[in-house]
């Protein structure tokens, strides 16, 4: 996601800033980013626009999670579920893009089987079908109205609440909660006798949440330098993201083995992905043990 002026706006609010009145300054740029990427998808649907839409929606989910203690629980849960639904709508096509990229790279690796010389056209056709479904889902969801309505409703709820919370104290508390959950999941994943994809996925999700919260609240986290933490989280996100990509590709390929010209070609592609998954699993576990 592109840089924006949120951190500057928060810093300008000073020590007396309130969590409630800061919400809109944090949420509005995310809504704008999601809508811009959604428009790009309808115009071109590049892999990058699909990825950036998912990122913006995930950040929105994390922001609503951060403000959960100040919001109606039922409505907050509904909003976060909606962002996940929209992200998943874009995600299915993005999963195809990742699978196609992995298989395209596979034919260039030494030792690759002759079966992987070309990615079957049927897989590209499946990607286009997934894209049509993604576009239709996002159009029917009326994402512009949905996001603007969510921003307006939540801002109103926060700004009319009878109680006020100092932004600095609120932000620090929510970051601590997220960091505690991350440490717990890292311990669980690192102590597993064998690589556990579900536990590693939980670490990835928790790491992203901590990173997003630190990026949201940056200047409000006074007296604490998070530069080193952010650098570590970005490295971890890169490693765990690559693992998640391969895991999703294995699952997607298994669902679509019939699209290959032959059983041998399908199994060769699956073998390559499984080998890559094991490699990524080892890298993720090593990173956890070094933390």
């Amino acid at each position: 996601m592109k840089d924006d002026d949120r951190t500057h706006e928060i810093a300008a609010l000073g020590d007396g800033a309130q969590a409630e009145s800061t919400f809109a300054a944090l949420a509005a740029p995310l809504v704008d980013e999601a809508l811009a990427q959604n428009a790009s998808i309808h115009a071109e649907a590049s892999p990058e626009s699909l990825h950036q839409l998912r990122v913006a929606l995930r950040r929105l989910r994390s922001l609503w999670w951060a403000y959960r203690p100040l919001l109606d629980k039922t409505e907050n849960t509904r909003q976060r579920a909606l962002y996940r639904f929209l992200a998943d709508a874009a995600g299915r096509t993005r999963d195809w893009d990742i699978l196609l990229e992995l298989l395209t790279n596979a034919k260039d690796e030494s030792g690759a089987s002759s079966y992987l010389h070309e990615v079957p056209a049927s897989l590209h056709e499946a990607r286009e079908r997934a894209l049509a479904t993604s576009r239709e889902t996002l159009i029917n969801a009326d994402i512009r109205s949905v996001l603007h309505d969510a921003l307006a409703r939540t801002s109103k709820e926060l700004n009319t609440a009878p109680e006020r919370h100092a932004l600095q104290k609120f932000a620090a508390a929510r970051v601590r909660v997220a960091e505690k959950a991350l440490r717990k999941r890292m311990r669980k994943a690192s102590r597993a006798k064998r690589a556990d994809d579900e536990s590693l996925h939980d670490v990835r999700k928790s790491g992203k949440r901590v990173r997003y919260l630190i990026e949201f609240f940056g200047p409000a986290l006074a007296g604490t330098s998070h530069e080193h933490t952010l650098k570590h989280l970005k490295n971890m996100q890169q490693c765990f993201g690559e693992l998640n990509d391969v895991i999703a590709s294995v699952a997607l390929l298994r669902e679509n083995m019939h699209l290959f010209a032959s059983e041998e070609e399908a199994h060769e592609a699956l073998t390559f992905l499984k080998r890559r998954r094991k490699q990524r699993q080892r890298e993720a576990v090593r990173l956890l043990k070094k933390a």
Side-chain angles (χ1 to χ4, degrees):
M1 182 177 174
K2 299 183 293 294
D3 293 336
D4 55 52
D5 294 327
R6 284 172 297 164
T7 56
H8 302 298
E9 292 176 5
I10 294 174
L13 293 174
D15 294 337
Q18 297 174 342
E20 289 81 0
S21 57
T22 305
F23 173 81
L26 293 168
L30 295 174
V31 169
D32 291 343
E33 176 71 9
L35 293 178
Q37 296 301 336
N38 184 54
S40 179
I41 288 170
H42 290 296
E44 181 183 1
S46 69
E48 184 61 17
S49 63
L50 289 159
H51 172 63
Q52 291 302 331
L53 175 60
R54 281 209 295 183
V55 170
L57 290 166
R58 285 168 177 167
R59 287 176 180 266
L60 282 167
R61 289 190 73 226
S62 293
L63 182 61
W64 257 257
W65 178 90
Y67 275 82
R68 186 169 62 177
L70 308 183
L71 297 169
D72 176 78
K73 182 177 180 180
T74 300
E75 178 63 14
N76 182 264
T77 299
R78 188 187 74 82
Q79 291 292 347
R80 295 183 64 242
L82 178 60
Y83 300 144
R84 181 169 186 172
F85 167 76
L86 294 172
D88 287 347
R92 191 62 170 176
T93 306
R94 173 64 176 166
D95 288 344
W96 275 106
D97 286 330
I98 292 168
L99 173 60
L100 292 170
E101 181 180 1
L102 286 169
L103 294 182
T104 298
N105 293 338
K107 62 183 175 52
D108 297 326
E109 295 191 6
S110 59
S113 165
S114 58
Y115 294 123
L116 292 177
H117 278 338
E118 295 295 338
V119 177
S122 55
L123 297 187
H124 291 280
E125 293 166 359
R127 188 266 187 190
E128 293 307 308
R129 290 193 295 272
L131 172 59
T133 300
S134 293
R135 281 173 165 160
E136 181 180 6
T137 300
L138 292 170
I139 289 173
N140 291 338
D142 191 8
I143 186 172
R144 176 174 292 277
S145 296
V146 165
L147 295 185
H148 280 306
D149 180 64
L151 176 56
R153 286 163 62 108
T154 303
S155 296
K156 181 178 179 180
E157 180 183 354
L158 290 168
N159 290 326
T160 58
E163 189 177 359
R164 288 291 179 267
H165 298 79
L167 175 63
Q168 187 175 97
K169 184 176 180 180
F170 174 78
R174 296 307 284 158
V175 170
R176 283 197 300 272
V177 171
E179 288 178 331
K180 182 178 179 180
L182 173 59
R183 288 193 296 269
K184 180 179 179 181
R185 287 170 176 170
M186 288 177 68
R187 285 195 299 270
K188 178 181 178 182
S190 64
R191 292 172 181 173
K193 292 184 178 180
R194 55 184 299 179
D196 178 358
D197 287 341
E198 184 176 351
S199 294
L200 293 171
H201 184 57
D202 286 341
V203 171
R204 173 176 172 263
K205 292 190 297 183
S206 293
K208 283 197 294 187
R209 177 177 289 166
V210 173
R211 175 187 170 185
Y212 293 160
L213 263 61
I214 291 175
E215 291 174 342
F216 290 152
F217 296 124
L221 303 172
T224 306
S225 174
H226 288 276
E227 185 175 343
H228 176 74
T229 302
L230 275 177
K231 182 178 180 180
H232 173 68
L233 288 171
K234 288 177 182 179
N235 290 337
M236 186 170 74
Q237 190 172 333
Q238 176 71 23
C239 176
F240 281 71
E242 290 173 355
L243 169 60
N244 185 70
D245 286 348
V246 181
I247 292 172
S249 293
V250 168
L252 185 58
L253 191 147
R254 279 177 167 158
E255 294 172 3
N256 293 277
M257 300 281 277
H258 62 282
L259 295 179
F260 287 83
S262 67
E263 184 176 339
E264 290 83 359
E265 183 179 359
H267 281 288
E268 179 63 25
L270 185 59
T271 298
F272 164 76
L273 291 177
K274 286 182 176 179
R275 187 166 61 246
R276 180 58 58 86
R277 180 180 60 185
K278 184 173 292 187
Q279 176 188 353
R280 297 303 186 204
Q281 284 173 334
R282 288 196 297 264
E283 292 171 355
V285 171
R286 280 199 300 269
L287 186 60
L288 280 180
K289 293 184 181 299
K290 286 171 59 179

